[in-house]
């Protein structure tokens, strides 16, 4: 066991909470080595869209495997990457896709591209970034520089590029009696005041559209995103939409920006892009930004690379994922599922909880009492019930695969109920 150093983990805690060895997955279920099953209510860190062992995505990868497993993307190209780029351009309205393998790398690429764009445009004083309070954009050094989660960031502070954090529109932070919309307006005013003063040095504002997932599913009114886009356009600051967690239908529309009717300068995508099958990320951007790099001089090009950039297997998984959206009326069906989940969750409202909230296929609530032990105890108790829940602080959330059935939703919420009842006695 010691040979594997697990992510986001104090390894010593596994003396108390043993690792769960998973053997196979099927639909929303994961099966451990003893055959015990767990409902994957968090889509394996928000990546899985259409269930484990999905036949369509699996077949697409197998077919691609017989053709070409990988080729470097510098100097070479292949059908899956061209087709995927064209599809993503149609879907997002941003016509140029740059690829990597995980979310944090996409953040790095968007930050570097924005900075480099301003340099190529003769505005090399535009070097600074802003993000939201409690934002999360990944954990490589550049991404941590715009992330605002103390536990991940503080240790590495001396290594990080400074950025400024704007008030978060997460409506849990509103004043009592203030509506989500009014609070969004107040936060947008604060953003505008900052940008008005500092725009000459600002390269970009990076934001998680509609839901700050790692902040504990902090949801906010779409007006904030609309205002942020207007402000960025007015003051010549790039808007980077980090849709790594919320893209591909999570918030109700294909992309959260679409929900708010905004077109950012960059969109970062990952996680659900391959349906949760293979690591892939992409940064999409505008013609204007692409053209600023297009030149005879090599140094004006975007000389960033990763060995597995645009991997054909991952691209074919992404194409199969997009095909499922096209053929199975996913977004419409999700509306019904989200409503069903919302109705079912009313059964939890008598518990000591607050801020019940929903956005597309994400639902969350917070425990009234804050206890530092809550998340690990809830996680462990839920596992006993056969449920993979991974609370963030005192936030319990559901972000299941879209293939979850109504009876599985019932089971998931009932198992959560049992878990919280048990914990209420213990905490
Ligand atoms: C909004 C957001 N951005 C970036 C990331 C980083 O993605 P990855 O873990 O693939 O590096 C995450 C991961 O949870 C995320 O939620």
């Amino acid at each position: 066991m010691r040979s594997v150093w697990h992510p986001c983990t104090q390894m010593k805690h596994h003396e108390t909470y043993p690792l769960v060895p998973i053997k196979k997955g099927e639909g929303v279920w994961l099966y451990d080595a003893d055959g015990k099953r767990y409902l994957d209510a968090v889509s394996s860190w928000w990546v899985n869209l259409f269930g484990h062992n999905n036949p369509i995505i699996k077949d697409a990868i197998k077919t691609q495997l017989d053709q070409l497993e990988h080729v470097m993307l510098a100097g070479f190209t292949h059908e899956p990457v061209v087709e995927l780029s064209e599809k993503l351009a149609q879907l997002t309205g941003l016509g140029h896709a740059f690829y990597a393998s995980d979310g944090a790398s996409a953040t790095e690429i968007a930050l570097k591209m924005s900075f480099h764009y301003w340099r190529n445009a003769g505005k090399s004083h535009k070097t600074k970034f802003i993000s939201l309070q409690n934002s999360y954009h990944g954990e490589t050094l550049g991404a941590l520089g715009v992330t605002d989660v103390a536990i991940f960031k503080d240790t590495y502070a001396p290594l990080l590029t400074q950025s400024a954090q704007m008030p978060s529109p997460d409506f849990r932070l509103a004043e009592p009696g203030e509506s989500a919309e009014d609070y969004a307006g107040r936060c947008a005013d604060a953003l505008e005041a900052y940008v008005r003063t500092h725009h000459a040095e600002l390269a970009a504002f990076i934001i998680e559209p509609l839901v700050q997932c790692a902040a504990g599913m902090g949801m906010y009114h779409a007006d904030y995103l609309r205002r942020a886009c207007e402000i960025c356009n007015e003051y010549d600051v790039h808007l980077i939409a980090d849709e790594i967690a919320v893209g591909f239908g999570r918030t109700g529309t294909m992309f959260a920006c679409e929900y708010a009717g905004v077109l950012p300068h960059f969109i970062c995508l990952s996680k659900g892009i391959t349906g949760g099958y293979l690591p892939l990320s992409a940064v999409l951007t505008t013609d204007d930004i692409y053209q600023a790099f297009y030149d005879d001089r090599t140094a004006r090009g975007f000389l960033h690379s990763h060995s597995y950039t645009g991997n054909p297997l991952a691209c074919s998984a992404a194409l199969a994922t997009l095909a499922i959206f096209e053929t199975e009326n996913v977004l419409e069906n999700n509306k019904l599922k989200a409503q069903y989940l919302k109705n079912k969750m009313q059964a939890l409202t008598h518990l000591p909880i607050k801020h019940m909230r929903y956005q597309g296929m994400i639902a969350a609530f917070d425990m009234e009492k804050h206890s530092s032990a809550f998340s690990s105890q809830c996680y462990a108790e839920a596992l006993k019930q056969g449920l993979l829940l991974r609370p963030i602080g005192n936030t319990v959330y559901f972000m299941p695969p879209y293939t979850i059935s109504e009876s599985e939703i019932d089971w998931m919420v009932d198992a959560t109920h049992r878990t919280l009842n048990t914990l209420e006695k213990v905490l």
Side-chain angles (χ1 to χ4, degrees):
M1 182 195 119
R2 294 168 76 89
S3 57
V4 182
W5 197 336
H6 290 263
C8 205
T9 300
Q10 168 48 267
M11 291 301 291
K12 192 166 194 295
H13 289 169
H14 282 310
E15 289 176 9
T16 320
Y17 299 109
L19 286 159
V20 185
I22 295 299
K23 275 272 197 207
K24 68 166 196 167
E26 187 65 51
V28 296
W29 298 97
L30 294 164
Y31 292 81
D32 74 12
D34 299 326
K36 177 170 173 168
R37 64 179 195 165
Y38 306 86
L39 192 147
D40 188 356
V42 299
S43 296
S44 291
W45 256 350
W46 320 339
V47 301
N48 192 293
L49 301 189
F50 300 122
H52 298 277
N53 200 19
N54 180 288
I56 297 172
I57 305 175
K58 197 168 66 172
D59 283 353
I61 297 170
K62 281 184 180 167
T63 306
Q64 181 59 39
L65 199 52
D66 285 336
Q67 287 291 317
L68 173 68
E69 79 299 338
H70 186 67
V71 62
M72 62 194 278
L73 203 63
F76 294 85
T77 189
H78 51 81
E79 261 180 47
V81 79
V82 174
E83 205 187 319
L84 179 61
S85 307
E86 286 172 356
K87 284 236 154 78
L88 291 174
Q90 263 170 23
L91 288 169
T92 60
L94 296 174
H96 307 276
F98 196 100
Y99 291 91
S101 305
D102 51 44
S105 307
T107 300
E108 300 286 339
I109 289 163
L111 297 176
K112 281 178 70 179
M113 245 183 209
S114 171
F115 167 91
H116 197 161
Y117 168 88
W118 293 119
R119 213 181 148 82
N120 282 356
K123 297 189 177 173
S124 43
H125 45 280
K126 286 171 85 66
T127 58
K128 298 218 159 45
F129 298 104
I130 54 176
S131 63
L132 289 179
Q133 275 166 354
N134 307 324
S135 57
Y136 182 90
H137 298 289
E139 307 204 30
T140 50
L141 293 178
L144 261 187
V146 289
T147 285
D148 185 40
V149 182
I151 184 99
F152 300 138
K153 182 168 185 171
D154 286 359
T155 308
Y156 307 101
L159 303 179
L160 304 178
T161 310
Q162 295 297 313
S163 65
Q165 274 63 56
M166 303 295 110
S168 165
D170 176 346
F171 63 66
R172 292 174 297 175
L173 303 173
E175 292 295 335
E178 189 177 29
S179 73
E181 193 172 357
D182 287 348
Y183 181 56
R186 192 152 64 85
C187 292
D189 290 344
L191 171 70
E192 182 158 21
Y194 186 91
V195 174
R196 195 186 305 125
T197 314
H198 296 275
H199 63 92
E201 65 199 31
L202 288 181
F205 176 32
I206 181 165
I207 186 170
E208 295 156 88
L210 297 185
V211 190
Q212 291 187 277
C213 296
M217 303 301 149
M219 299 182 185
Y220 62 87
H221 198 278
D223 271 359
Y224 182 83
L225 201 53
R226 281 189 277 275
R227 284 276 311 278
C229 189
E230 284 165 15
I231 295 164
C232 285
N233 284 334
E234 184 179 345
Y235 290 99
D236 233 7
V237 171
H238 290 145
L239 181 67
I240 302 175
D242 176 350
E243 297 230 12
I244 288 164
V246 295
F248 299 100
R250 268 296 160 200
T251 61
T253 44
M254 192 62 164
F255 299 106
C257 283
E258 196 184 318
Y259 184 95
V262 303
L263 184 65
H265 302 90
F266 298 92
I267 293 186
C268 302
L269 301 172
S270 189
K271 292 198 184 268
I273 192 169
T274 61
Y277 262 73
L278 288 167
L280 181 70
S281 61
V283 177
L284 291 134
T285 194
T286 64
D287 286 343
D288 175 45
I289 290 171
Y290 178 78
Q291 286 303 332
F293 291 81
Y294 200 81
D295 199 273
D296 291 326
R297 287 161 289 179
T298 307
R300 279 178 72 95
F302 190 59
L303 306 184
H304 181 102
S305 61
H306 298 283
S307 312
Y308 283 99
T309 292
N311 173 260
L313 297 171
C315 290
S316 65
L319 285 167
T321 300
L322 292 178
I324 297 174
F325 275 101
E326 278 169 24
T327 55
E328 297 187 11
N329 211 13
V330 173
L331 298 177
E332 283 307 306
N333 291 338
N334 279 359
K335 280 189 196 151
L336 303 176
K337 277 189 195 174
Q339 187 58 46
Y340 187 89
L341 174 59
K342 187 172 177 178
N343 294 343
K344 177 72 190 171
M345 282 174 67
Q346 296 312 304
L348 302 174
T349 50
H350 70 281
L351 292 166
I353 63 176
K354 59 184 177 180
H355 299 310
M356 193 71 112
R357 54 198 184 276
Y358 313 89
Q359 177 72 55
M361 287 297 280
I362 308 174
F365 56 86
D366 296 353
M367 303 308 294
E368 282 282 0
K369 255 194 306 180
H370 194 84
S371 139
S372 55
F374 172 75
S375 61
S376 51
Q377 290 186 344
C378 180
Y379 168 76
E381 183 56 37
L383 277 183
K384 281 190 209 157
Q385 304 280 348
L387 178 64
L388 169 43
L389 270 189
R390 215 181 133 94
I392 302 171
N394 66 336
T395 297
V396 176
Y397 70 90
F398 300 121
M399 218 204 253
Y402 304 159
T403 46
I404 191 166
S405 67
E406 290 187 353
S407 61
E408 287 165 338
I409 289 175
D410 289 345
W411 193 94
M412 175 176 80
V413 176
D414 290 343
T416 303
H417 205 164
R418 287 194 295 279
T419 301
L420 294 175
N421 271 335
T422 311
L423 287 176
E424 225 192 322
K425 287 176 209 130
V426 180
L427 291 173

